[in-house]
Amino acid sequence: MRGVDRSRATSTFLVLCAALLAAAAGCSSGAKTPEQAYERFSKAVTAGDGGALFDACDKTTRWNWMTVQKWHREAYDIVISNYPQGPERDRELHRFEKGATASSARELFKAEMAAAVLPQLAKLVVPGKPTIEIQPPGDIAEVVLPDGGRVRFARGERDGWGFAGFTPDAEARKNRAYHDLEQVRANAADYERAAARGSR
């Protein structure tokens, strides 16, 4: 029995380590300066690397995507457990499948957004040292492009700088995910009540 317990403890430890590594990848720390943040952003866009683009985002954006993934996974599990077989169940499973099966928020971002936006971001990458304006009180910076365009970066509390251009979209996605989850919970409760009535 001791050998079995030791094996289980080792397995549990390895699972926890894997989870921590995945979380660390999703919570990649930001750059120390706006210049470094713009460099990370530019490299990701130039390489067409969706994962690196996620890493270059500000903390708020990354946390919002992590929340979306978490709530989509929860909604998916509720649908599997509580929705009866039929078109609505199939439709809802399909809607939440990417978030439920993605290995991380980073992977979900790559699957749902990165490929579509990377070509559009190429115009925000310019050679040479960028002109940067810091906005009071000092947690927002904008790279001023030669054509007058601006690339926005934000500094999180106890975190570095990151690209903030996706923040409104990420916030909207999080809000939709919350309302979707609440609706799924309400529907599941209705199905449970209907099943209870039918069994009487």
Side-chain angles (χ1 to χ4, degrees):
M1 289 297 291
R2 289 181 180 178
V4 172
D5 291 342
R6 187 177 296 110
S7 176
R8 286 178 180 169
T10 301
S11 298
T12 302
F13 174 75
L14 292 174
V15 169
L16 288 173
C17 285
L20 289 172
L21 288 171
C27 300
S28 176
S29 60
K32 293 181 179 179
T33 66
E35 289 85 356
Q36 290 179 357
Y38 182 63
E39 182 180 358
R40 290 182 71 186
F41 167 80
S42 298
K43 285 182 177 179
V45 173
T46 301
D49 188 334
L53 180 61
F54 179 83
D55 296 338
C57 288
D58 68 316
K59 186 175 182 178
T60 299
T61 297
R62 288 182 279 117
W63 275 101
N64 282 338
W65 274 91
M66 283 184 254
T67 302
V68 168
Q69 185 205 14
K70 173 187 173 184
W71 286 342
H72 278 194
R73 181 179 293 152
E74 185 175 345
Y76 187 86
D77 290 343
I78 292 172
V79 172
I80 286 179
S81 300
N82 297 280
Y83 277 47
Q85 295 290 338
E88 183 182 12
R89 185 178 192 271
D90 295 340
R91 183 175 61 251
E92 294 294 84
L93 288 177
H94 178 73
R95 181 154 69 116
F96 299 119
E97 184 175 15
K98 284 184 180 178
T101 58
S103 60
S104 66
R106 188 178 191 263
E107 292 303 311
L108 180 61
F109 174 86
K110 286 171 61 178
E112 288 204 338
M113 189 171 186
V117 300
L118 277 166
Q120 303 169 27
L121 297 175
K123 61 185 178 182
L124 303 181
V125 176
V126 295
K129 186 176 181 180
T131 300
I132 295 177
E133 294 181 358
I134 306 292
Q135 308 295 328
D139 56 353
I140 297 295
E142 291 183 329
V143 172
V144 183
L145 303 176
D147 63 0
R150 291 173 177 266
V151 188
R152 190 177 180 88
F153 294 84
R155 180 175 59 189
E157 184 179 354
R158 293 178 301 187
D159 194 64
W161 291 89
F163 175 63
F166 297 142
T167 304
D169 176 83
E171 185 71 25
R173 287 173 185 265
K174 184 186 75 171
N175 290 337
R176 284 197 301 272
Y178 170 77
H179 291 297
D180 287 343
L181 176 57
E182 288 297 290
Q183 186 62 58
V184 166
R185 286 171 174 163
N187 292 346
D190 289 342
Y191 286 132
E192 286 182 354
R193 284 191 289 268
R197 288 194 298 270
S199 64
R200 291 175 185 172

